[in-house]
Amino acid sequence: MKKIEIAKITSLNRAPLIIEGYLFEGCDPEAPSIAVVGAMEGKNILPLYTASKLVDFLKNNISGKESIKGDILVIPSINHYALNINERFWPLDKTDINMMFPGYALGETTQRIAKKVFDVLQNYTHGIILENREDLSSCIPYVKLFQSGFEDLQGAKLFGFKLIHHKELTPINTVSLQYNWQLWGTKAYSIVCPNENQIDINSSHEIFEGIIQYLNKNRIIDYKVLNGFESTITTKEDVEIIKTPKSGIFIATKQIGSYVIKDEMIGKIVHSLNGEVIHRFFAPSNGMIVCGYKNALIFEDAVAFRIVKSGS
Amino acid sequence: MQITEIFSSQLPVGETLSIKRSRFEPTKKYDSLKRISIVSGIHGDELEGQYAIYLLSSWLNKNKDAIRGIIDIYPAVNSLGIDSITRGFPLYEVDLNRAFPGAEHEYLPGQVVHALAQDVKGSDIAIDIHSSNIFLREIPQIRINKEYSNFTLPLAKELNCDFIWIHDAVTVLEATFSHTMNSMGTRTLVVEMGVGMRLTKEYGVQLLSGMLNLMQKEGIIQSREHFEAREPFLSEVGEVFYLNSPTSGLFVPALDHCAVIKKNDVIGTIVEPLTGEVLDTLYAPNGGILFTLREYPIVYEGSLLARIFGETDEKN
């Protein structure tokens, strides 16, 4: 294993930000390679943890050097400055590094960081980006793949997650790492992790096993794990969006990942001052709750649940 | 004047989020009224538009008989952000000017921008007033997407701004208010002036004159007053030179904003207070006008310090 310095940014009053990658060189020059990117945002706790556990696994747990066939680069964190002070974006100007790709060497600070990271990520056969949802919700772990024209939808099934979200591309997505990585020829995927401040060990294992399975099925490592799920590909037509007609205190009575039946109560809104239940949520169809609002206080018309419909 | 709530949403604890519009209409009936919409506060830390719009509504209140069209003003699109010194939409941390056109079924920031776009839709002209951000001070200028410049450049010249910057089409900017409105048929201009979190009174007065001049030319007002419209310089006749910080430190400017400078003039220094060292001295890469200057002194490598507009082949 080699530790490589990808970028170094100095600061007037903070210790320098040094972005490092852990490079595991494979024994088979013909084998495909992969790079894994962890926390780009300061609230990417599960992406950070999962990437760091992957480093530990590749360094200490995989038996024998021969098991690593292709080159594997893991970058557990890009935005330490934000992580260390619980900021989401770049702490000075609040820009999102994942909106700066492919980067610009002569541009603003986060454009320069993106450029240095992107330069290192070039020419990998496969790419994984660990991220969270952009809105105020948490979710089951799933693969997010933009409908970019460059995506490999079949390849996404090799992670063995229950869900692949084949998402419409919007203008804002054209400056994301996933899109640009694909544009430059890498089979890139985003794994969307549950959005929690604490480590959820079960979700972390699920994501970790998905990555190991992907590495194994693509012959990047030789390490068998139990097969995952036969993934379901969803688009927005498959998803029921349940919004709250009232603001207040949101209480989910069904957990994310639960199967629900039509008309089953799944949550409620309590008036924040007089304590009365002012709204009850009922599942509009059979299916699985794949996303749920994660804060206790909810805005009017905010999306409380997303249910992937099941049945004929 | 009629005040309308174009969007409202009950917040979790005893408060309503409200986006408001004031409409000024003629006191008499006229045929085929033109409509102009003036928007500010899409970014919660940009307040220059609040003052310019205040001056405009104050003028309209005093000159009701001059009104010949519909003038809609939206001073505070990101009202929660403005009152909490937050650039993006609070809690969601979303830049509203990267969230257009939005939709009714999106998250709250998407609903807000959707409501604005739907309300402005049908206007003949829209003006979106920004204040740069808290980091940079800008001279009053208009930003125009090349894709729509045939329609918007003639209007921009009437706005009494100093500079018109015509930029290339960039996919990510399709999520802005101006692109959305231009694509919906409303000729939309973006004004950048001053600095975030502050008011520059003279710029407010300057833009007021420009807005009134434009409205006079378009027949939206009819007044005997003369409204100044200075001749702006166009980005197409020269080049914009960027000066980004080569290192992190404290930026100390050596020149005033708007100064006319020569190549190799010292723009400022990057210093280290802890040691008393000068880490770097910044020289102008080209002569011209210093139309952007760093206001917030803490910089990282790459932070934008200045922009100069000058002739490409300038010999100094």
Side-chain angles (χ1 to χ4, degrees):
Chain A
M1 190 272 287
K2 278 199 294 197
K3 210 150 105 167
I4 57 171
E5 184 176 306
I6 294 165
K8 182 176 181 179
I9 300 287
T10 60
S11 164
L12 181 59
N13 295 304
R14 297 180 71 171
L17 166 68
I18 300 171
I19 302 169
E20 292 175 317
Y22 294 81
L23 179 62
F24 298 86
E25 288 173 314
C27 63
D28 179 1
E30 301 297 315
S33 58
I34 190 163
V36 180
V37 176
M40 271 192 277
E41 289 183 12
K43 307 229 170 162
N44 287 166
I45 300 303
L46 211 47
L48 176 72
Y49 177 71
T50 308
S52 67
K53 290 309 291 176
L54 183 61
V55 172
D56 177 51
F57 171 78
L58 294 169
K59 186 179 168 197
N60 299 317
N61 296 102
I62 195 161
S63 57
K65 201 186 166 198
E66 295 293 303
S67 300
I68 299 178
K69 303 292 182 192
D71 287 352
I72 304 171
L73 173 69
V74 185
I75 308 173
S77 166
I78 290 174
N79 199 348
H80 320 346
Y81 273 179
L83 282 157
N84 285 330
I85 57 172
N86 199 31
E87 281 271 350
R88 184 171 169 193
F89 298 126
W90 184 249
L92 186 68
D93 62 10
K94 318 296 182 206
T95 50
D96 180 357
I97 295 171
N98 201 18
M99 276 181 58
M100 294 293 155
F101 289 95
Y104 178 44
L106 302 176
E108 291 264 5
T109 311
T110 44
Q111 290 177 305
R112 292 180 187 213
I113 292 171
K115 168 70 174 155
K116 285 176 180 170
V117 170
F118 200 60
D119 282 350
V120 171
L121 296 178
Q122 294 298 297
N123 301 320
Y124 279 90
T125 324
H126 303 268
I128 297 173
I129 305 144
L130 297 165
E131 56 185 70
N132 293 122
R133 284 184 63 84
E134 292 159 12
D135 58 13
L136 297 174
S137 64
S138 193
C139 57
I140 61 168
Y142 67 91
V143 177
K144 179 179 81 179
L145 205 52
F146 294 130
Q147 296 174 13
S148 64
F150 307 102
E151 76 276 28
D152 180 0
L153 198 52
Q154 293 309 311
K157 292 181 175 176
L158 300 180
F159 290 99
F161 292 131
K162 280 183 182 158
L163 188 69
I164 298 167
H165 184 199
H166 199 203
K167 192 174 187 294
E168 275 178 30
L169 188 78
T170 62
I172 212 82
N173 302 138
T174 60
V175 286
S176 68
L177 174 56
Q178 185 195 128
Y179 176 80
N180 283 281
W181 217 355
Q182 286 176 356
L183 199 62
W184 262 257
T186 293
K187 291 182 180 185
Y189 308 92
S190 296
I191 297 178
V192 182
C193 305
N195 194 350
E196 309 290 348
N197 283 330
Q198 300 286 320
I199 299 300
D200 172 3
I201 293 295
N202 292 334
S203 297
S204 172
H205 282 164
E206 189 179 339
I207 297 161
F208 181 78
E209 283 171 21
I211 295 171
I212 297 300
Q213 191 166 167
Y214 186 86
L215 296 177
N216 185 50
K217 291 197 169 176
N218 282 294
R219 302 183 318 281
I220 301 166
I221 62 171
D222 184 9
Y223 188 90
K224 288 187 181 59
V225 287
L226 294 178
N227 278 333
F229 297 97
E230 191 178 327
S231 305
T232 303
I233 297 167
T234 63
T235 60
K236 66 178 183 183
E237 283 73 27
D238 306 308
V239 181
E240 291 271 14
I241 292 175
I242 299 131
K243 295 168 76 173
T244 173
K246 296 193 172 160
S247 60
I249 297 172
F250 171 61
I251 299 169
T253 53
K254 283 285 180 182
Q255 300 303 306
I256 295 165
S258 305
Y259 281 100
V260 292
I261 54 171
K262 189 173 186 303
D263 297 331
E264 184 179 0
M265 185 176 150
I266 55 176
K268 58 188 175 184
I269 302 288
V270 173
H271 191 284
S272 59
L273 298 177
N274 67 24
E276 286 173 24
V277 175
I278 50 176
H279 180 70
R280 288 183 173 82
F281 296 97
F282 298 95
S285 59
N286 295 348
M288 177 192 267
I289 299 174
V290 293
C291 286
Y293 194 77
K294 75 180 173 73
N295 287 4
L297 296 181
I298 194 165
F299 290 119
E300 188 180 40
D301 285 327
V303 176
F305 297 99
R306 284 182 165 83
I307 294 177
V308 172
K309 292 176 273 190
S310 54
S312 52
Chain B
M1 177 186 61
Q2 188 186 354
I3 295 175
T4 305
E5 204 169 59
I6 64 154
F7 180 83
S8 75
S9 179
Q10 195 63 39
L11 298 180
V13 189
E15 184 189 353
T16 304
L17 162 67
S18 171
I19 317 291
K20 289 177 185 159
R21 176 198 73 196
S22 284
R23 171 164 287 183
F24 293 85
E25 290 179 284
T27 48
K28 296 175 193 165
K29 285 209 166 183
Y30 296 97
D31 291 334
S32 60
L33 298 179
K34 274 193 177 176
R35 179 178 160 211
I36 186 168
S37 291
I38 298 165
V39 171
S40 87
I42 287 179
H43 291 137
D45 59 352
E46 300 183 4
L47 308 177
E48 303 276 12
Q50 299 260 309
Y51 184 60
I53 284 183
Y54 157 72
L55 292 174
L56 176 63
S57 54
S58 172
W59 189 93
L60 292 169
N61 280 329
K62 289 175 196 151
N63 294 274
K64 291 188 176 89
D65 292 341
I67 298 171
R68 294 287 184 279
I70 297 171
I71 304 151
D72 284 338
I73 61 175
Y74 307 77
V77 175
N78 184 6
S79 55
L80 275 185
I82 290 172
D83 280 20
S84 57
I85 326 177
T86 311
R87 183 174 180 79
F89 194 91
L91 198 61
Y92 288 88
E93 299 181 70
V94 168
D95 181 342
L96 289 183
N97 213 23
R98 297 290 181 276
F100 283 91
E104 251 181 302
H105 302 298
E106 277 192 12
Y107 55 3
L108 196 56
Q111 294 172 35
V112 168
V113 297
H114 176 71
L116 176 68
Q118 290 305 306
D119 206 70
V120 174
K121 188 176 167 183
S123 301
D124 297 279
I125 301 168
I127 301 173
D128 178 19
I129 308 172
H130 289 259
S131 318
S132 178
N133 53 34
I134 63 165
F135 301 104
L136 303 166
R137 181 175 286 280
E138 301 277 5
I139 59 169
Q141 60 196 269
I142 316 283
R143 305 261 172 95
I144 286 180
N145 186 328
K146 195 176 265 180
E147 192 180 344
Y148 298 109
S149 61
N150 283 349
F151 309 103
T152 52
L153 184 57
L155 301 179
K157 289 178 177 174
E158 305 295 344
L159 262 184
N160 195 31
C161 286
D162 297 285
F163 182 37
I164 297 176
W165 190 348
I166 302 169
H167 60 81
D168 289 328
V170 183
T171 309
V172 69
L173 295 182
E174 288 174 15
T176 60
F177 171 76
S178 62
H179 189 281
T180 300
M181 296 322 303
N182 274 313
S183 65
M184 288 163 81
T186 295
R187 294 173 294 165
T188 304
L189 303 168
V190 178
V191 176
E192 290 276 359
M193 63 178 197
V195 64
M197 290 192 189
R198 297 286 180 271
L199 299 183
T200 313
K201 284 174 74 177
E202 62 269 30
Y203 288 170
V205 172
Q206 182 179 335
L207 185 62
L208 171 68
S209 178
M211 289 191 290
L212 292 172
N213 177 61
L214 174 64
M215 286 193 251
Q216 179 102 297
K217 293 276 164 55
E218 291 290 320
I220 297 168
I221 60 168
Q222 199 174 83
S223 168
R224 288 183 180 170
E225 268 186 65
H226 170 72
F227 305 112
E228 190 193 346
R230 63 187 69 182
E231 180 93 19
F233 48 95
L234 297 177
S235 60
E236 288 182 323
V237 302
E239 193 175 336
V240 175
F241 297 87
Y242 290 73
L243 195 63
N244 292 75
S245 181
T247 188
S248 304
L250 187 76
F251 173 64
V252 183
L255 296 168
D256 290 330
H257 183 225
C258 296
V260 176
I261 59 171
K262 297 197 295 295
K263 188 174 181 176
N264 294 327
D265 277 355
V266 174
I267 294 206
T269 48
I270 310 285
V271 302
E272 162 61 282
L274 190 65
T275 61
E277 281 175 281
V278 174
L279 302 174
D280 223 315
T281 303
L282 290 315
Y283 299 94
N286 203 81
I289 182 163
L290 189 65
F291 75 95
T292 305
L293 185 62
R294 182 101 186 160
E295 185 81 12
Y296 190 80
I298 304 297
V299 295
Y300 280 97
E301 176 193 330
S303 296
L304 186 61
L305 302 177
R307 280 188 285 234
I308 300 159
F309 178 73
E311 289 181 24
T312 316
D313 58 352
E314 181 157 332
K315 304 283 186 293
N316 290 286

